[in-house]
Amino acid sequence: MSKKFVASYSGGKDSVLAIYKAIQQGLIPLALITTFNTDRKRSCFHGIPKPVLKSIKEAIGVPVWYIETSSEKYIDNYEKKLQMAKEQGAGVCVFGDIDIEGHLKWCTERCENTGIEPLFPLYGHSRESVVFDFVDSGFKAYFTNIDISRINEDLLGRQLTKETLREITAQGADICGENGEYLTFVTDGPIFKKPVDVSFGERIIENNRARLPLEALRMDA
């Protein structure tokens, strides 16, 4: 099996930590894969625009591949991208899932259908240990989307630290945000050659969620 890998990349803490763990195991990143909503002009899950994704490519030094897709063709287009990765030498696809069996099954099926080995470096570890490992490893991430029915709005835009994690658990929310309590965006850490060039727009509140749009710092990014 080739040591080259592609990774399912969302921009959030779990996907980034999984990439880091794969590199620590001696695997070599070929590309980061992210699904992209062409109507919103942002990535599907964490709302990252292409200029910021370009900055991520420069900051990490690994290409970012887009899966530009509709929900109806999501599975087909995902598998086509994995097939392309295999043709370019990837033997593994890395995922940041922790303990949700449905996610494990879906990702495994995509890999089995394309002849790539799935790797889940975080799976089976406790949620608390995963998020503390992320902080202890030296990554920097910010809360960019929170469920304000479960977490105080003032968390938005703050850095993910052990202090802010204690605030989350004190409010009765999941420490890792696995139930949709929050999303993060990682800007720096051990896999980064330099911090990501990114700024945050004005906060938007709708449907019990508060979010900060991500924008590139440089207009030509």
Side-chain angles (χ1 to χ4, degrees), residues 186-204:
V186 185
T187 61
D188 202 4
I191 69 171
F192 292 79
K193 300 178 185 301
K194 62 179 182 178
V196 180
D197 287 325
V198 68
S199 62
F200 301 109
E202 294 294 324
R203 68 178 56 195
I204 298 171

Side-chain angles (χ1 to χ4, degrees), residues 82-96:
L82 290 182
Q83 184 62 44
M84 185 183 82
K86 181 181 178 183
E87 292 169 356
Q88 295 194 24
V92 177
C93 186
V94 173
F95 300 93

Side-chain angles (χ1 to χ4, degrees), residues 126-145:
S126 74
R127 296 179 180 185
E128 182 177 74
S129 68
V130 167
V131 73
F132 283 160
D133 189 3
F134 176 85
V135 174
D136 289 338
S137 295
F139 287 102
K140 182 179 290 186
Y142 295 89
F143 296 97
T144 57
N145 189 315

